[in-house]
């Protein structure tokens, strides 16, 4: 009898350890196997070459072209991050400290990176700021110029400005959230002692928000460093190619998987380091903030000069951030005459879109893929919740599970191409997108579960329930809203992602964003913009649904 009890207890401990290992056994192969295959392709792809694979790998790593790609990736990411902070920090301060009319509308800019996929953002940026864009056309008509005054779009400056316009709303949202939770008591005490506003900011406010600013900067740097669509379109040549673009060029143009794997390893190491830094800074920022945001003062009670300056900044930065989206929308309602005639208002692009079999097929396939990615991403997130338990601590685990943020879809797609040289197919495309989406679903569900009273789980444990049963019968019914929010968020990510589709190129499975990109390449701008508006509308509705079901505003 005693032996039977010990056997049962041992089986229970073995089951518990197996459950704890489930996240590692599930998630590790999901992104480490394709990434490892991509890297091994770089090491072994030239094994038959003179000098062996390792020597060729090291030679490729030190080649001038690879170093140039790394140098450009770092330089444009640093410049883009600096410009994003310059545009975003004043808005973050105003949002966190003041109430004013239009505050919600300005705060809604933070959703642009989610509802505006980079490839479509690039299309809107070109239509707004390109040589033949709306801004140049307006300036030429206003000033009577014969040539467009703004010619920076297809250059290093164009890449930096596009990245900044896409990412500064993230700075506004992230830093604004940290700034609004900085305790006001030390500042008020310093004012009572006669300290000026400049000294208060330099000695009290700035040290308090610095971890949050650094965390936002590291995240923007990571996004810009791993950028693909913007430098691919605006780079203007191989001298302006990021590591992501170089990987794509090595695979699609040269079929050089050894070079692509070398680039993937280099980019992966850099990106993982930045992700670890972001996690550290984000934890420090959370430790220095309060639980509830401080009360905001009405902007109307401030001095007139300050009100006017604030209104001008909010209007100007808001117009800059929304300009690509507005240009995309405006261009979708135009018809360009022959031989460069003046564009006129027309709905022809939408009429063609909804009567074109290829576009209708792309819509159906995009929605089908989004549903599959949502199911996969949330399913993976739920299995992670089964394994980690309520008492799981942040740290290495959180960084490890978030690694797909640092291992881009281009890198993962390269791994699947190495694993399946005859064609990875739609299944690999869904896996790549689900791998990119599940960290957000996991964080959403984990945050929601942390608010469930621990006593419910403890009561279930006393009644003999194991971890999977607790999750199924106690936690998941209470996480219904968070589940819907995670599903919508994963679908929104899938709708705008074309990087993996460009790499894997699954036959007979067109996607809406990919079709818009190819129409843009053939200068069919109105039709491409119409498709882009549809993608943005769908992604926006999915993001709005995610925000609606979320327990906290995003």
């Amino acid at each position: 009898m005693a032996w039977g009890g010990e056997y049962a207890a041992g089986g229970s401990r073995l089951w518990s350890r197996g459950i704890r290992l489930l996240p590692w056994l599930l998630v590790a192969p999901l992104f480490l196997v394709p990434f490892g295959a991509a890297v091994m392709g770089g090491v072994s792809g030239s094994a038959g070459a003179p000098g062996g694979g390792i020597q060729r790998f090291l030679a490729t790593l030190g080649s001038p072209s690879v170093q140039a790609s790394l140098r450009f990736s770092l330089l444009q990411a640093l410049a883009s991050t600096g410009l994003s902070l310059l545009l975003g920090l004043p808005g973050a301060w105003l949002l966190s400290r003041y109430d004013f009319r239009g505050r919600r509308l300005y705060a809604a800019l933070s959703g642009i990176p989610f509802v505006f996929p980079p490839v479509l953002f690039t299309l809107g940026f070109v239509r707004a700021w390109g040589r033949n864009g709306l801004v140049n056309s307006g300036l030429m008509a206003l000033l009577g110029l014969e040539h467009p005054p703004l010619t920076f779009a297809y250059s290093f400056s164009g890449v930096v400005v596009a990245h900044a316009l896409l990412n500064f709303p993230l700075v506004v949202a992230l830093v604004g959230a940290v700034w609004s939770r900085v305790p006001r008591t030390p500042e008020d005490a310093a004012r009572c002692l006669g300290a000026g506003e400049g000294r208060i900011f330099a000695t009290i406010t700035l040290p308090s928000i610095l971890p949050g600013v650094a965390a936002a900067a590291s995240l923007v740097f990571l996004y810009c460093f791993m950028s693909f669509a913007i430098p691919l379109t605006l780079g203007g040549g191989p001298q302006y190619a990021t590591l992501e673009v170089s990987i794509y060029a090595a695979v699609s143009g040269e079929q050089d998987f050894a070079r692509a794997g070398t680039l993937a390893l280099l980019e992966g190491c850099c990106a993982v380091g930045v992700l670890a830094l972001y996690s550290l800074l984000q934890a420090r920022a959370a430790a220095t903030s309060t639980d509830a945001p401080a009360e905001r003062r009405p902007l109307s009670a401030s001095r007139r000069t300050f009100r006017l300056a604030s209104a001008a900044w909010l209007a100007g930065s808001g117009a800059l951030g929304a300009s690509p989206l507005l240009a995309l929308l405006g261009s979708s309602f135009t018809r360009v005459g022959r031989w460069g005639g003046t564009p006129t208002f027309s709905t022809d692009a939408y009429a063609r879109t909804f009567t074109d079999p290829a576009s209708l097929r792309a819509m159906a396939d995009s929605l089908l893929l989004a549903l599959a990615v949502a199911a996969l991403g949330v399913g993976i997130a739920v299995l992670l919740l089964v394994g980690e338990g309520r008492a799981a601590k942040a740290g290495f685990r959180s960084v490890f599970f978030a690694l797909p943020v640092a291992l881009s879809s281009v890198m993962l797609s390269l791994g699947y191409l190495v694993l399946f040289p005859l064609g990875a197919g739609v299944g690999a495309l869904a896996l790549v997108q689900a791998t990119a989406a599940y960290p957000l679903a996991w964080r959403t569900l984990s945050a929601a579960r942390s608010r469930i009273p621990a006593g419910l789980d403890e009561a279930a444990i006393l009644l003999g329930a194991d971890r999977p049963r607790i999750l199924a019968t106690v936690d998941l019914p209470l996480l219904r809203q968070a589940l819907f929010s995670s599903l919508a968020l994963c679908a929104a990510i899938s709708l705008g992602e074309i990087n993996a589709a460009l790499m894997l190129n699954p036959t007979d499975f067109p996607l809406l964003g990919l079709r818009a990109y190819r129409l843009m390449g053939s200068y069919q701008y109105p039709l491409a913009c119409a498709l882009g508006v549809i993608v943005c509308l769908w992604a926006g509705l999915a993001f709005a649904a995610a925000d609606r079901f979320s327990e906290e505003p995003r």
Side-chain angles (χ1 to χ4, degrees):
M1 191 74 175
W3 181 84
E6 292 177 1
Y7 181 80
S12 177
R13 286 193 298 268
L14 185 62
W15 169 253
S16 178
R17 290 174 182 174
I19 291 296
R20 292 193 190 99
L21 288 176
L22 178 62
W24 308 93
L25 296 176
L26 171 72
V27 176
L30 196 62
F31 57 86
L32 290 185
V33 168
F35 178 67
V39 172
M40 289 307 298
V43 176
S44 61
S46 303
I54 297 297
Q55 288 79 4
R56 179 65 182 274
F57 171 80
L58 295 175
T60 303
L61 195 62
S63 65
S65 59
V66 171
Q67 295 300 311
S69 294
L70 175 62
R71 184 165 53 251
F72 174 74
S73 297
L74 292 172
L75 287 177
Q76 64 84 19
L78 285 171
S80 301
T81 303
L83 187 55
S84 299
L85 291 174
L86 185 64
L87 290 174
L89 288 178
W93 174 57
L94 290 171
L95 282 184
S96 63
R97 293 300 176 99
Y98 295 96
D99 262 325
F100 50 88
R101 186 177 298 176
R103 184 179 180 276
R104 285 182 176 272
L105 181 61
Y106 189 82
L109 286 175
S110 63
I112 284 181
F114 293 94
V115 305
F116 210 168
V119 64
L120 301 177
F121 180 90
T122 308
L123 174 57
F125 181 83
V126 169
R127 298 306 298 155
W129 301 94
R131 290 182 60 88
N132 299 318
L134 300 180
V135 176
N136 269 327
S137 298
L139 290 176
M140 291 170 65
L142 181 64
L143 303 177
L145 302 176
E146 296 182 1
H147 302 286
L150 302 178
T151 58
F152 65 89
Y154 292 95
S155 66
F156 178 86
S157 299
V159 173
V160 170
V161 172
H163 279 153
L165 294 185
L166 180 62
N167 290 301
F168 90 84
L170 283 180
V171 176
V172 173
L174 296 175
V175 178
V178 173
W179 213 328
S180 66
R181 286 175 167 80
V182 171
R184 303 288 177 86
T185 305
E187 296 180 4
D188 295 336
R191 289 189 185 93
C192 292
L193 294 174
E197 293 298 326
R199 186 176 182 182
I200 292 173
F201 178 81
T203 59
I204 298 176
T205 307
L206 184 59
S208 300
I209 67 170
L210 201 56
V213 174
S218 63
L219 187 62
V220 171
F221 178 89
L222 180 63
Y223 287 160
C224 296
F225 178 78
M226 302 179 65
S227 180
F228 177 70
I230 290 176
L232 178 67
T233 307
L234 303 178
Q239 70 271 25
Y240 294 139
T242 58
L243 291 172
E244 289 273 278
V245 175
S246 298
I247 292 172
Y248 172 69
V251 172
S252 63
E254 307 166 17
Q255 294 293 303
D256 190 347
F257 286 88
R259 177 182 174 82
T262 303
L263 292 165
L265 176 62
L266 180 61
E267 183 186 32
C269 290
C270 295
V272 168
V274 176
L275 178 64
L277 177 63
Y278 165 74
S279 299
L280 177 64
L281 293 171
Q282 184 68 12
R284 291 189 59 185
T288 58
S289 62
T290 58
D291 292 334
E295 184 178 355
R296 294 185 293 269
R297 298 190 294 269
L299 185 60
S300 58
S302 303
R303 291 177 298 177
R304 184 172 183 271
T305 304
F306 179 75
R307 292 201 312 270
L308 293 176
S310 300
W313 179 268
L314 292 170
S317 59
L320 284 175
S323 61
L325 182 59
L326 295 176
L328 187 77
L329 181 62
S331 297
S332 68
F333 286 101
T334 61
R335 178 171 54 193
V336 181
R338 293 185 178 180
W339 313 111
T342 303
T344 57
F345 177 83
S346 174
T347 59
D348 286 352
Y350 289 97
R352 291 177 56 191
T353 295
F354 288 104
T355 56
D356 178 27
S359 297
L360 294 175
R361 171 70 185 278
M363 292 182 196
D365 287 347
S366 296
L367 289 175
L368 181 63
L369 180 64
L371 292 175
V373 169
L376 281 172
V378 173
I380 294 168
V382 169
L383 290 176
L384 291 181
L385 292 183
V386 174
E388 67 178 355
R390 288 288 298 274
K393 297 180 180 180
F396 175 75
R397 174 191 295 266
S398 62
V399 176
F400 181 79
F401 290 162
L403 274 180
V405 177
L407 303 179
S408 70
S409 57
V410 171
M411 281 190 282
L412 296 177
S413 299
L414 172 62
Y416 281 108
L417 289 175
V418 173
L419 291 170
F420 305 100
L422 298 180
V426 180
L429 177 59
L431 280 176
V432 170
Q433 291 192 357
T435 303
Y438 86 77
L440 291 178
W442 169 62
R443 287 185 181 276
T444 299
L445 293 173
S446 296
R449 189 172 67 167
S450 68
R451 292 186 285 270
I452 297 176
L456 296 177
D457 287 3
E458 293 171 359
I461 292 173
L462 291 176
L463 294 173
D466 54 15
R467 189 178 298 173
R469 188 173 182 184
I470 292 172
L471 183 69
T473 60
V474 177
D475 292 343
L476 286 183
L478 297 175
L479 294 176
R480 188 179 295 109
Q481 283 187 277
L483 284 170
F484 284 128
S485 176
S486 300
L487 286 168
L489 195 58
C490 291
I493 292 173
S494 172
L495 285 169
E497 208 281 332
I498 71 161
N499 299 356
L502 277 174
M503 286 286 292
L504 297 172
N505 195 22
T507 58
D508 199 30
F509 197 82
L511 295 176
L512 206 55
L514 190 57
R515 179 165 172 75
Y517 173 77
R518 287 171 175 165
L519 288 170
M520 174 186 172
S522 59
Y523 300 101
Q524 300 183 55
Y525 286 120
L527 189 56
C529 290
L531 294 177
V533 168
I534 293 172
V535 174
C536 291
L537 179 61
W538 285 355
L541 290 175
F543 182 75
D547 192 60
R548 169 67 178 81
F549 288 112
S550 177
E551 297 181 18
E552 294 182 354
R554 296 188 182 279

